Amino acid sequence: MYDGVRLELSRRNLLISSAATVAATGVAGSAVAQSSGSHMDYTSKVALTVNGEHRTLDLDNRTTLLDALREHLHLTGTKKGCDHGQCGACTVLVDGKRINSCLTLAVMHEGDEVTTIEGLGQPGNLHPMQAAFVKHDGFQCGYCTPGQICSSVAVLEEIKSNIPSHVTENLNEPSQLTANEVRERMSGNICRCGAYSNILDAISEVGGINA
Ligand code: FES
Ligand code: FES
């Protein structure tokens, strides 16, 4: 009997303390929601140069560069594949260097120069790499192609600038433009159609190597 009463009291105390915890959590939660709704500004003005044109955007701070390009500037040449930095479909050039635009916030690029596939060249005035992809059939469905081409252009610059890769054999000597170097450096750009050998032929032609 004594044990029963004690057990009953324990249960009551437990229920009371649980209810108090839930109430406290609820109050804290709504306080956070309120303060974030009324006191914080979630948008920023971002000025950047895209394909040579000065653009100013009002963006939610959480907007990726990829979404800013596609949804706000309607430059849909840059593709969203995985949206997780794993396929390279969203590759663009920022200040001449290639990046996955899905992995970076637009607000981090205030003042930067962004080049997308549309800025590299246009029908009738193709960039040599775009022309080489056409000539060598470096695509099938074409979804990965803008990213492949932006990446390829940057790869040739990286080798020219002597930036080593994982397969660079001698770090004390200038980087060599070899098929192996190109394969390694392009490994972040996935092609589900498997156009890899033609892509390599296109890059090799522009770079001046025998694949
Ligand atoms: Fe950016 Fe796949 S969409 S890496
Ligand atoms: Fe189709 Fe590369 S051409 S995914």
Side-chain angles (χ1 to χ4, degrees):
M1 181 65 182
Y2 174 76
D3 282 343
V5 170
R6 201 172 62 180
L7 186 62
E8 184 58 27
L9 283 173
S10 302
R11 270 190 72 224
R12 280 166 57 96
N13 285 343
L14 178 67
L15 287 172
I16 289 165
S17 68
S18 303
T21 307
V22 168
T25 314
V27 168
S30 67
V32 167
Q34 265 186 10
S35 78
S36 31
S38 58
H39 301 305
M40 290 183 67
D41 191 358
Y42 286 126
T43 63
S44 296
K45 213 176 257 306
V46 185
L48 61 175
T49 303
V50 182
N51 299 334
E53 256 183 73
H54 188 68
R55 310 298 295 256
T56 302
L57 298 169
D58 276 311
L59 294 174
D60 184 308
N61 296 337
R62 297 161 292 183
T63 307
T64 62
L65 180 59
L66 173 61
D67 285 340
L69 292 170
R70 286 183 56 86
E71 311 299 332
H72 295 262
L73 295 176
H74 309 295
L75 292 167
T76 52
T78 307
K79 299 293 185 258
K80 183 181 281 190
C82 62
D83 210 16
H84 281 82
Q86 293 171 351
C87 72
C90 64
T91 306
V92 296
L93 305 176
V94 173
D95 295 335
K97 298 193 173 64
R98 56 184 173 153
I99 62 167
N100 289 336
S101 59
C102 71
L103 284 187
T104 186
L105 297 175
V107 292
M108 295 162 65
H109 295 285
E110 172 73 22
D112 284 355
E113 281 203 26
V114 181
T115 306
T116 68
I117 191 71
E118 293 93 340
L120 277 184
Q122 289 284 330
N125 184 26
L126 294 179
H127 184 282
M129 192 63 80
Q130 291 171 314
F133 267 64
V134 173
K135 176 179 168 190
H136 289 278
D137 243 351
F139 51 86
Q140 285 182 38
C141 76
Y143 198 82
C144 72
T145 312
Q148 301 276 5
I149 292 176
C150 285
S151 228
S152 307
V153 169
V155 159
L156 295 184
E157 286 306 312
E158 286 164 20
I159 295 174
K160 226 188 268 176
S161 308
N162 215 13
I163 297 169
S165 78
H166 287 298
V167 298
T168 303
E169 283 174 15
N170 192 341
L171 297 181
N172 298 318
E173 286 185 3
S175 296
Q176 299 298 313
L177 182 54
T178 64
N180 247 5
E181 281 285 356
V182 173
R183 281 194 197 97
E184 163 62 21
R185 291 170 193 262
M186 290 297 293
S187 61
N189 287 83
I190 308 301
C191 175
R192 290 163 183 83
C193 298
Y196 295 114
S197 61
N198 294 4
I199 290 170
L200 181 60
D201 288 347
I203 302 171
S204 298
E205 178 176 311
V206 179
I209 55 173
N210 296 318

